[in-house]
Amino acid sequence: MKHIYLLYQIFIALPVMLVITIVAAITCLIGCIFDNRFWGYWPGMIWGRLFCHIFLIPVHIDGKENITPGQSYVVVANHQSFFDIFALYGHIGINFKWLMKKEIGRIPFVGWACKAAGHVCIDRASAMRSYESLNKAKRQLSDGMSVIIFPEGTRTPDGKLHQFKRGSFQIAADLGLPVLPVTINGCYQVMSRHDWHVNRHCVSITVHKPIDMTCSMPSNMETTQRIALLRQTAQAAQQSVEDGLITD
């Protein structure tokens, strides 16, 4: 079955998704001329969902009741795989902008659409340009618009949760916005950073209760302590989901 699935993704899934990607990108580019909030989200959401369906990857999401409609969030998710992007885009169900590495912005069609949609590219090699990108992300967060950040900074090399970086939590603290932790499981098995093809595996997304860094924590707690506390909470949530992970 693995050999049949490999042939399927090479000769059917990849060509179909290439066409869909180009169509979605062009739709986004044209639509964002008129309405960035609508056309900057819906083509990408449909694209992400189709990507999972066409590659026959089932995605289950729990905890959507923890999302308040119209509320802006700083969404922090663990980063297991490239497939995290498709799973989150297609299923989390909130309007958002990505905070992503600048290299993605150079990809034909995809990168152009990301820029048109207002997603924020960050240059990790330059502290000044990274700071400017974070300020651009802050300006996006109003009227129910959220931002999704992978605070680990890169895909996990071993499937485990790694140290969170400061930037996403600094945005939340500066703007007084709640942090929405999201745990992804299964994407590492679908396509780890060491794989060159997709493997069939169930993916689960767990949306945890928001953490309000200005209200739910002591006012005298330093930002570094708040980040450490949030990281501990996310790790505990990650472990609880891993315990019930569906395996092959």
Side-chain angles (χ1 to χ4, degrees), residues 74-124:
V74 177
V75 182
V76 293
N78 59 313
H79 199 5
Q80 292 192 334
S81 164
F82 278 134
F83 230 87
D84 298 337
I85 296 170
F86 311 127
L88 285 174
Y89 222 152
H91 297 86
I92 195 169
I94 58 176
N95 202 340
F96 66 88
K97 305 298 182 185
W98 291 104
L99 187 65
M100 58 193 183
K101 57 185 181 181
K102 67 173 185 177
E103 289 79 7
I104 295 177
R106 298 171 180 168
I107 301 174
F109 292 102
V110 172
W112 306 335
C114 286
K115 291 178 180 179
H119 300 307
V120 182
C121 296
I122 188 165
D123 184 355
R124 294 178 295 180

Side-chain angles (χ1 to χ4, degrees), residues 223-240:
T223 301
T224 53
Q225 294 175 311
R226 297 183 183 195
I227 292 173
L229 179 58
L230 179 56
R231 179 173 181 268
Q232 293 170 6
T233 303
Q235 285 180 316
Q238 170 81 8
Q239 186 60 53
S240 68

Side-chain angles (χ1 to χ4, degrees), residues 23-45 89 95-97 109-119 140 145:
V23 171
I26 293 174
T27 302
C28 178
L29 285 166
I30 296 174
C32 284
I33 296 173
F34 305 100
D35 187 349
N36 176 278
R37 291 182 67 91
F38 181 87
W39 293 104
Y41 170 69
W42 282 98
M45 185 276 290
Y89 222 152
N95 202 340
F96 66 88
K97 305 298 182 185
F109 292 102
V110 172
W112 306 335
C114 286
K115 291 178 180 179
H119 300 307
Q140 301 272 15
M145 183 64 70

Side-chain angles (χ1 to χ4, degrees), residues 136-172:
K136 182 179 178 182
K138 292 176 186 178
R139 293 194 293 271
Q140 301 272 15
L141 296 171
S142 63
D143 300 325
M145 183 64 70
S146 298
V147 63
I148 293 184
I149 305 174
F150 296 121
E152 293 166 283
T154 189
R155 292 167 291 162
T156 175
D158 53 13
K160 298 179 181 179
L161 190 66
H162 289 261
Q163 180 71 44
F164 284 175
K165 297 184 178 181
R166 180 189 180 102
S168 52
F169 309 103
Q170 188 65 57
I171 291 175

